[in-house]
Amino acid sequence: MPQVTECHDGLQPFSDPSVEVQAQWTLNNLVLKLMARTTQPFDQRPKDLGTLAVVEDPHLAEYMMRNPAIFQKNFALVAALGKSRFNLNGEQWELFRNRTQPSYNKASRKTERANIAAHYDRAVEAFDPGDMDSVEPLLSNAAMSVFVDALGISPDINQIVDLFPQVRIHAKMLQYFSWSGVREPEVLAKRANWLDQRFNAIFMDDPLSRDFVREAIGGTHPEEWHPAITDLMQNAFAGTETTVATLCWAVRLMGQNRTLQNQLRTEARLGEADTPLLRSFMFEVMRCIPPIPFVVRETKQAYDGNGVSYPAGQQIILSIIGLHKNPNAWSNPNQFHAARPEFAPSASTPKAYRPFLSGPRVCGGKRLAELEMMSAMTAILRKWRFSTKVPDVDFEYALAMRPASFAGVSIEAV
Ligand code: HEM
């Protein structure tokens, strides 16, 4: 058996390095399967993918989202990730939610727009036309600045963002193992511990983060703070990874269509208050490429209704991709249409559009993310022009679906 050695500057390696490749392949493949289903006639699709039931009917999906007491978060994730508002249920979830939600609500007020825009203006100013790979880290930095401002804390943002590639890998492995069975649990535990210690050190180094955590848990003992920091870390990652992924897709898609890009730029120059095409474009980006392509739920008790029958403990994939491409809900669902009539300002948002979910477990940062993305896109469009001749792009799915690279995209000042 190969020796596992301590690794101080990154995640502990698995003795079988191919397991990480398998994980990426399996997760990407799951997303591809969910995408492929959308091209089959709706009533001919199988109701499951192996042991996982699949839901892509808007009516049933809405029922699931509105009834988290029946369709709950999977407890296995709590053990793997540590407690957070993302994976808890019931009263414990409410407790954790109340620690961060008031801050997100306050940060998404229109009065905060200028502050949010200033972070993105700075990031966009620093894009390097010779290096498209500078774009994602700079956007991550801006998103993280917005996040820490929202909570009124000031940890070292660069240190947090630098850890994200490792968090991505860890999130990917946990998700993969939750279906395939855990391999090398001692390595996994060391990896979790490594990340945990780093985040703990970064947040504990910041007096404002310490105040936030002390207030959030209502306790004074540093040993009680640890779960609150785990929750903070998961909020930081989920809140920025999704927003930045969406912006990266938007940049890629704009690069494919110069005419559309020019129309969006004309709107962006007019000001943020009235940008219906940009709003519709961003909705369409998230409809076609939902940053979180699916969520997993588990039935707490047997469920019989809405045309399905599940035993207690049934794992269910709620396919956001499936909802977003449902042929009964959308005209030409598999076509990208920036000015889609379903997203016209006068139309009410379809129930089959749920990039942030809905109901009690709706994304806590939905309004903040929307505000942020409009500010970011306005800043980007005013300053830069993108072009690419590469129509299809590999994606990488860990927690969010990101473009695998910016290869083939070029950038020039407007
Ligand atoms: C485009 C950007 C975003 C998208 C598409 C998105 C999407 C989602 C989705 C689908 C969920 C539900 C996950 C599940 O229940 O399994 C979720 C949950 C959550 N998101 Fe977001 N998100 C985005 C941005 C943000 C931002 C900016 C923040 C905060 C700064 C944030 C904070 C949260 C929180 C706290 C939850 C957990 C809600 C709960 O169960 O209490 N998100 N998000």
Side-chain angles (χ1 to χ4, degrees):
M1 184 122 165
Q3 280 297 305
V4 175
T5 48
E6 200 61 59
C7 181
H8 292 289
D9 57 356
L11 295 176
Q12 174 90 32
F14 287 98
S15 58
D16 172 11
S18 73
V19 73
E20 285 190 22
V21 181
Q22 283 166 39
Q24 188 64 70
W25 187 87
T26 307
L27 292 180
N28 272 13
N29 206 31
L30 177 59
V31 176
L32 286 173
K33 280 186 181 155
L34 293 175
M35 284 177 180
R37 288 171 63 93
T38 67
T39 58
Q40 294 169 9
F42 191 71
D43 49 5
Q44 288 172 27
R45 299 179 197 169
K47 291 205 182 305
D48 54 60
L49 276 175
T51 55
L52 297 161
V54 179
V55 168
E56 47 195 6
D57 166 56
H59 203 72
L60 174 57
E62 200 63 18
Y63 185 84
M64 284 178 68
M65 293 184 236
R66 302 265 158 206
N67 291 281
I70 306 174
F71 299 96
Q72 62 177 14
K73 293 284 183 119
N74 177 349
F75 278 114
L77 274 176
V78 183
L81 287 169
K83 287 181 184 176
S84 78
R85 67 176 283 191
F86 292 88
N87 52 27
L88 290 167
N89 292 300
E91 280 176 18
Q92 270 198 309
W93 163 69
E94 273 181 52
L95 186 76
F96 274 68
R97 180 200 53 188
N98 294 343
R99 291 176 178 174
T100 43
Q101 196 55 46
S103 303
Y104 297 151
N105 293 346
K106 217 164 117 206
S108 51
R109 288 186 193 148
K110 287 209 170 109
T111 47
E112 298 301 315
R113 185 178 278 172
N115 184 30
I116 294 173
H119 286 304
Y120 280 101
D121 283 342
R122 257 195 307 279
V124 165
E125 200 61 41
F127 284 3
D128 175 357
D131 178 15
M132 251 328 267
D133 289 339
S134 68
V135 168
E136 192 185 25
L138 284 163
L139 291 174
S140 293
N141 235 290
M144 189 52 69
S145 305
V146 172
F147 175 80
V148 301
D149 272 7
L151 296 182
I153 58 178
S154 61
D156 186 325
I157 286 169
N158 291 326
Q159 282 191 39
I160 298 180
V161 172
D162 281 353
L163 278 176
F164 277 6
Q166 318 260 21
V167 176
R168 235 170 252 144
I169 296 172
H170 191 58
K172 181 170 72 189
M173 298 314 296
L174 289 176
Q175 213 173 347
Y176 173 58
F177 287 152
S178 72
W179 291 314
S180 72
V182 178
R183 268 172 266 167
E184 302 189 50
E186 71 289 356
V187 176
L188 200 63
K190 278 190 180 161
R191 288 175 159 228
N193 198 30
W194 183 84
L195 280 172
D196 219 39
Q197 281 177 10
R198 258 130 209 93
F199 280 109
N200 212 51
I202 299 169
F203 284 114
M204 284 298 99
D205 219 21
D206 166 38
L208 291 175
S209 296
R210 290 205 296 273
D211 287 350
F212 178 86
V213 168
R214 191 169 32 231
E215 232 172 84
I217 58 155
T220 50
H221 297 297
E223 63 271 21
E224 292 174 60
W225 296 358
H226 196 213
I229 292 189
T230 306
D231 180 48
L232 210 51
M233 187 275 270
Q234 290 184 32
N235 273 262
F237 183 65
T240 53
E241 183 83 344
T242 41
T243 311
V244 174
T246 310
L247 292 172
C248 290
W249 285 115
V251 163
R252 275 218 86 107
L253 286 160
M254 282 195 312
Q256 288 172 18
N257 187 336
R258 277 284 186 124
T259 311
L260 169 66
Q261 193 179 149
N262 288 335
Q263 289 168 337
L264 292 170
R265 185 165 298 111
T266 306
E267 260 198 9
R269 282 184 175 142
L270 288 174
E272 279 177 52
D274 188 24
T275 49
L277 181 61
L278 181 56
R279 175 185 173 272
S280 167
F281 170 71
M282 291 309 286
F283 274 39
E284 184 67 345
V285 170
M286 286 192 285
R287 184 188 74 83
C288 290
I289 314 172
I292 299 196
F294 64 91
V295 297
V296 181
R297 296 293 189 259
E298 183 179 296
T299 43
K300 186 169 185 196
Q301 65 224 37
Y303 175 76
D304 201 345
N306 280 299
V308 291
S309 186
Y310 298 134
Q314 173 67 52
Q315 300 266 324
I316 305 166
I317 287 190
L318 195 168
S319 170
I320 298 180
I321 291 182
L323 288 183
H324 287 188
K325 304 268 175 104
N326 187 298
N328 304 324
W330 304 95
S331 53
N332 300 318
N334 284 306
Q335 209 170 39
F336 187 91
H337 186 186
R340 184 166 272 285
E342 291 94 336
F343 295 143
S346 55
S348 53
T349 312
K351 276 211 166 123
Y353 182 67
R354 294 288 182 247
F356 300 97
L357 294 195
S358 71
R361 300 307 292 256
V362 66
C363 168
K366 175 177 184 285
R367 277 192 293 147
L368 181 58
E370 286 173 343
L371 196 61
E372 254 187 279
M373 292 191 296
M374 292 301 276
S375 293
M377 289 301 291
T378 306
I380 292 171
L381 281 158
R382 284 178 181 164
K383 175 93 187 142
W384 301 106
R385 181 174 287 123
F386 300 92
S387 53
T388 179
K389 292 201 166 58
V390 184
D392 290 319
V393 164
D394 281 348
F395 66 88
E396 212 181 86
Y397 168 75
L399 173 122
M401 188 156 57
R402 312 158 52 237
S405 79
F406 270 121
V409 182
S410 60
I411 171 174
E412 56 175 339
V414 169

